[in-house]
Amino acid sequence: MRTPLVMGNWKLFGTKDTISALIKGIEGTANSTKNVEVVVCPPPIFIEHVAKLTQNNNLKFGAQNVSEHITGAFTGETSSDMVKEFGAKYTLVGHSERRQYHFETNEMVARKFMAAQNSGLIPVLCIGERLLDRETHKTFEVLEKQLKAVTNLVGVAAFEKAVIAYEPMWAIGTGRVATAEQAQEVHSFIRSWLRAQNEVVAEKVQILYGGSVKANNAKNLFAQPDIDGGLVGGAALIVEEFVGIIEAI
Ligand code: PEP
């Protein structure tokens, strides 16, 4: 079936030293927990450092973002080809902080998804609604638009080599976690939406939950049938928390 996946998004945190210490702290658990894939997403400047530190353990790594362009006059950007060259397996695309602070549209995120796959990376498509969307019962409508932008560009079959992360914006970095039932309801919606177009893809794609996942709430979330793991922000920077989350699978 689907391999459970736990991903740490380190955002704009870390130094070479703190990253080395974090990896040292989690690699034993990643090595011994055979049925879970553990992935860390460092800031881009530390990709090479992390590539070296994960050569001899079971940890995989990914980028937090890539450009929609592969090469060209795009100052400050990092391309999916560059990230792949250093051995990354994944990249996040469309994290809500990118959508919110860098004005990434659904269509731009779809182009990043395509660029990532063209480079041989597995895109982790982050989708999620704002609090206002939830309160006005627009959650499914918003998610459908975010998914559709991708399927319109690359087709539903592209999700065979992709991951989806459902991250309600009101739960990211707020300490306010979705209940397991709320998360399962949305994960089930996402899988059904895909199933209506391609059953094989729907059964295969890993759908992660993200938003204030901690060691003490992970077990309940991961026990849901359509939740295949987590995308973890703050708690991924604390060894005991991240290890606890991996062990909750
Ligand atoms: C994230 O950055 O994707 C995230 C889910 O953050 P946090 O776990 O801190 O809410």
Side-chain angles (χ1 to χ4, degrees), residues 9 11 92 95-97 126 167 171-175 209-214 231-236:
N9 170 17
K11 312 196 187 202
L92 307 183
H95 189 280
S96 69
E97 286 151 15
C126 303
E167 299 205 300
I172 296 181
T174 59
Y209 169 79
S212 298
V213 177
K214 305 275 182 279
L231 177 54
V232 184

Side-chain angles (χ1 to χ4, degrees), residues 29-111:
T29 307
N31 288 344
S32 59
T33 323
K34 294 270 182 286
N35 58 333
V36 186
E37 183 161 51
V38 184
V39 181
V40 293
C41 299
I45 192 80
F46 296 126
I47 290 255
E48 187 174 11
H49 184 56
V50 169
K52 286 182 189 144
L53 294 172
T54 54
Q55 258 168 4
N56 298 313
N57 59 34
N58 277 355
L59 286 167
K60 306 278 186 252
F61 65 94
Q64 298 173 13
N65 174 48
V66 289
S67 171
E68 62 185 281
H69 305 286
I70 292 302
T71 190
F74 301 105
T75 302
E77 293 282 52
T78 308
S79 78
S80 41
D81 271 5
M82 293 169 184
V83 169
K84 177 72 180 171
E85 189 179 343
F86 284 93
K89 181 169 177 185
Y90 297 92
T91 183
L92 307 183
V93 293
H95 189 280
S96 69
E97 286 151 15
R98 300 292 315 172
R99 294 178 187 261
Q100 204 177 354
Y101 307 134
H102 300 270
F103 312 107
E104 292 190 5
T105 62
N106 289 340
E107 290 68 31
M108 193 186 297
V109 171
R111 291 193 293 273

Side-chain angles (χ1 to χ4, degrees), residues 18-29 53 57 59 239 243:
T18 62
I19 283 173
S20 301
L22 257 175
I23 289 190
K24 216 173 167 37
I26 60 178
E27 64 185 356
T29 307
L53 294 172
N57 59 34
L59 286 167
V239 169
V243 162

Side-chain angles (χ1 to χ4, degrees), residues 96 129-131 166-179 182 209-214:
S96 69
E129 81 284 6
R130 298 168 307 166
L131 185 57
Y166 167 57
E167 299 205 300
M169 284 171 78
W170 47 270
I172 296 181
T174 59
R176 187 177 162 188
V177 65
T179 63
Q182 281 174 323
Y209 169 79
S212 298
V213 177
K214 305 275 182 279

